[in-house]
Amino acid sequence: QVQLVESGGGLVQLGGSLRLSCAASGFTFSLYAMSWVRQAPGKGLEWVSAINRGEGDTYYADSVKGRFTISRDNAKNTLYLQMNSLKPEDTAVYYCANHWTIATTVEHWGQGTQVTVSS
């Protein structure tokens, strides 16, 4: 069965960095587009970034462009999100998700990892 397991969250100070990982199993990772989506306390889901299948193109929300970098290691079936220059408004639970293409809906979600940025 499909599993997406996020890790790497934690508490960091304003301006700090974290790298999130998402270990994938149960599907052919390289054939799927992958996304990071976050949910801040009391708010709805916000798409953060996506990467196309293979060694694909990357996409970012305006709120994180220039600070976050999405990448994937298809040999390790792992998705990453390098987050730099973190701000308190980046505080959220971060989820990874798979979808067949960039334009299609999410098929599976991970359980999420908490990121808290203190000022």
Side-chain angles (χ1 to χ4, degrees):
Q1 90 244 30
V2 172
Q3 283 196 311
L4 298 169
V5 180
E6 300 95 335
S7 61
L11 174 64
V12 64
Q13 290 190 330
L14 172 68
S17 297
L18 282 174
R19 189 175 83 152
L20 305 183
S21 300
C22 172
S25 61
F27 65 101
T28 306
F29 179 72
S30 63
L31 295 182
Y32 277 74
M34 300 293 297
S35 284
W36 288 98
V37 179
R38 67 187 180 186
Q39 186 167 29
K43 297 190 176 181
L45 293 173
E46 177 191 15
W47 171 79
V48 174
S49 182
I51 185 166
N52 215 336
R53 59 178 62 173
E55 300 301 322
D57 295 334
T58 57
Y59 307 86
Y60 298 93
D62 288 344
S63 58
V64 307
K65 201 172 293 184
R67 300 188 297 122
F68 290 11
T69 302
I70 191 171
S71 62
R72 64 192 299 161
D73 186 334
N74 292 328
K76 295 183 178 179
N77 289 347
T78 303
L79 176 72
Y80 301 100
L81 186 68
Q82 177 67 43
M83 305 186 296
N84 299 328
S85 302
L86 283 162
K87 306 174 181 180
E89 52 264 44
D90 295 317
T91 294
V93 177
Y94 284 71
Y95 300 92
C96 69
N98 71 344
H99 37 124
W100 182 238
T101 73
I102 288 293
T104 55
T105 56
V106 167
E107 294 187 11
H108 298 92
W109 297 87
Q111 85 290 347
T113 186
Q114 176 71 48
V115 171
T116 303
V117 184
S118 67
S119 55

